[in-house]
């Protein structure tokens, strides 16, 4: 029986596909961009999965034993709830849901999806990671290359986590028993301010990278031409949480699940050096 991986081009999804493939686990990739995903993972079972097209959800879960469930950050809950219902009808046994640190007690759509999974009585594990290191190789890559990282994060710290660790945890809980009903809060090993982040990047690259703390207003003005309004609102709220100190926490859940420490930011910087070179 197969494992369905949603968002297989996502920061975590693509790493999860690699881990499951290496372990010889049968996977089905439920892709939003089908051709892009086929090119990235030749020879694997790639099917269309578009949260805006209900029939694709129903088809993607047929013959599947477990689902890794994720969606873009600014998504409503209804499409993922529909996928959970389709999974239940198709006889899926387990759902592993990627959400985010700090959603407990909120009415965030990710929390609504989790409540729906609980009510479905499917076996589940919830993953609550903090901010990903991979944001620095994707949305912030151009700024780092140009020499200045501007974020409305003040001098607050975050224990950034490598998406490879989240994927490794997801693979573990998808393929081995003992994690049902649990929520893992996933962080990296070190609490770092953005100033410390650029210092590590600068050391790795052999040139100065600056951190420019900006206000919420300056941030909104800089990104509004490039991002949908809902995403700007989401990011603005997330950065407000950083400035309030909500990310200044770290856990040992990666160590507990994997039996090894999480990847450090220095290791991440070394592994992705070419992105900013
Ligand atoms: N980034 C972080 O620091 C962070 C931290 C904590 C939690 N999270 C959570 O992690 C999740 C992933 O966020 P991310 O920002 O890292 O994004 P991502 O997973 O890197 O990218 C979004 C994924 O969603 C897919 N997608 C877009 N529209 C879709 C649709 N209509 N139907 C199906 N799939 C669709 C994209 O596929 P295509 O590429 O094919 O369009 C892509 O694979 C979110 O729930 C977010 O809240 C992120």
């Amino acid at each position: 029986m197969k494992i369905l991986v949603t968002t297989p081009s996502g920061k975590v999804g693509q790493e999860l596909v690699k881990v499951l493939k290496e372990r010889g686990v049968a996977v089905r990739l439920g892709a939003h961009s089908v051709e892009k995903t086929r090119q990235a993972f030749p020879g694997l079972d790639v099917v269309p999965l578009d949260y805006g097209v209900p029939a694709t959800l129903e088809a993607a879960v047929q013959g599947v034993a477990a689902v890794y469930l994720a969606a873009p950050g600014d998504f409503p809950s209804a499409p993922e709830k529909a996928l959970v219902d389709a999974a239940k009808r198709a006889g899926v046994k387990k759902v592993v849901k990627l959400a985010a640190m700090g959603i407990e007690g909120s009415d965030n759509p990710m929390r609504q999806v989790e409540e729906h999974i609980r009510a479905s009585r499917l076996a589940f594990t919830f993953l609550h990671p903090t901010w990903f290191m991979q944001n620095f190789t994707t949305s912030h890559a151009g700024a780092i290359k140009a020499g200045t990282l501007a974020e409305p994060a003040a001098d607050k710290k975050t224990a950034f986590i490598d998406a490879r660790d989240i994927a490794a945890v997801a693979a573990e809980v998808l393929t081995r028993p003992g994690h049902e009903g649990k929520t893992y809060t996933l962080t990296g090993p070190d609490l770092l301010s953005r100033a410390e982040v650029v210092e590590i990047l600068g050391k790795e690259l052999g040139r100065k990278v600056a951190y420019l703390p900006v206000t919420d207003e300056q941030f909104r003005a800089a990104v509004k031409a490039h991002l949908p309004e809902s995403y700007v609102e989401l990011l603005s709220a997330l950065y407000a949480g950083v400035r309030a100190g909500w990310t200044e926490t770290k856990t040992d859940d990666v160590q507990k699940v994997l039996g090894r420490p999480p990847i450090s930011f220095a290791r991440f910087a070394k592994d992705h050096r070419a992105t900013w070179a």
Side-chain angles (χ1 to χ4, degrees), residues 221-235:
V223 298
K224 75 174 180 199
H226 319 289
L227 298 176
E229 202 182 324
S230 61
Y231 201 56
V232 176
E233 288 306 320
L234 173 77
L235 289 173

Side-chain angles (χ1 to χ4, degrees), residues 6-14 30-34 36-37 49-53 57 68 70-75 80 97-101 108 110 127-135 138 160-161 166 231 234 238:
T6 65
T7 67
S9 62
K11 298 178 192 76
V12 176
Q14 58 182 280
H32 179 229
S33 309
V34 175
K36 177 174 87 174
T37 307
L49 192 159
D50 186 333
Y51 285 123
V53 184
L57 310 183
Y68 164 77
D74 58 342
F75 243 46
E80 282 179 276
K97 166 67 187 144
L98 175 70
M101 191 171 91
N108 182 292
M110 288 184 277
L127 306 180
H128 287 190
T130 188
W131 291 57
F132 301 171
M133 293 180 187
Q134 274 70 7
N135 296 331
T138 53
F160 297 98
I161 182 161
I166 308 171
Y231 201 56
L234 173 77
L238 289 172

Side-chain angles (χ1 to χ4, degrees), residues 1-5 20-21 23-29 45:
M1 289 283 270
K2 284 190 168 174
I3 293 177
L4 172 67
V5 177
L20 292 174
K21 193 173 162 235
R23 288 198 189 170
V25 177
V27 281
R28 175 175 299 155
L29 283 52
D45 174 15

Side-chain angles (χ1 to χ4, degrees), residues 61-255:
V61 292
Q62 300 306 315
V64 156
V67 174
Y68 164 77
L69 183 61
D74 58 342
F75 243 46
S77 60
E80 282 179 276
K81 287 183 184 173
L83 193 143
V84 171
D85 294 342
K88 179 87 181 167
R89 283 193 293 276
V92 169
K93 299 284 177 256
K94 190 194 275 187
V95 176
V96 173
K97 166 67 187 144
L98 175 70
M101 191 171 91
I103 62 161
E104 299 83 357
S106 74
D107 68 347
N108 182 292
M110 288 184 277
R111 186 68 185 158
Q112 293 165 14
V113 174
E114 289 187 344
E115 288 309 320
H116 196 76
I117 294 168
R118 274 183 202 277
S120 76
R121 311 194 72 80
L122 286 161
F124 69 83
T125 309
F126 298 151
L127 306 180
H128 287 190
T130 188
W131 291 57
F132 301 171
M133 293 180 187
Q134 274 70 7
N135 296 331
F136 297 105
T137 49
T138 53
S139 36
H140 300 310
I144 292 164
K145 226 171 158 174
T148 304
L149 173 72
E151 286 188 86
D155 59 354
K156 298 297 182 182
K157 298 191 183 230
T158 302
F160 297 98
I161 182 161
D162 194 312
R164 293 173 293 182
D165 281 335
I166 308 171
V169 169
E172 193 68 19
V173 304
L174 279 161
T175 57
R176 290 195 226 278
H179 303 286
E180 292 77 13
K182 296 196 173 155
T183 297
Y184 292 118
T185 302
L186 304 173
T187 75
D190 302 308
L191 279 163
L192 298 171
S193 66
R194 265 63 176 182
E196 289 167 324
V197 161
V198 295
E199 199 182 317
I200 296 169
L201 291 171
K203 233 178 238 164
E204 181 57 41
L205 293 168
R207 63 172 194 262
K208 188 172 164 52
V209 183
Y211 167 54
L212 179 66
V214 292
T215 63
D216 181 55
E217 292 71 26
Q218 287 168 324
F219 169 72
R220 285 168 179 271
V223 298
K224 75 174 180 199
H226 319 289
L227 298 176
E229 202 182 324
S230 61
Y231 201 56
V232 176
E233 288 306 320
L234 173 77
L235 289 173
S236 172
L238 289 172
Y239 278 119
V242 173
R243 292 194 302 279
W246 295 347
T247 61
E248 295 201 320
T249 179
K250 60 176 183 171
T251 73
D252 58 1
D253 282 4
V254 170
Q255 172 81 48

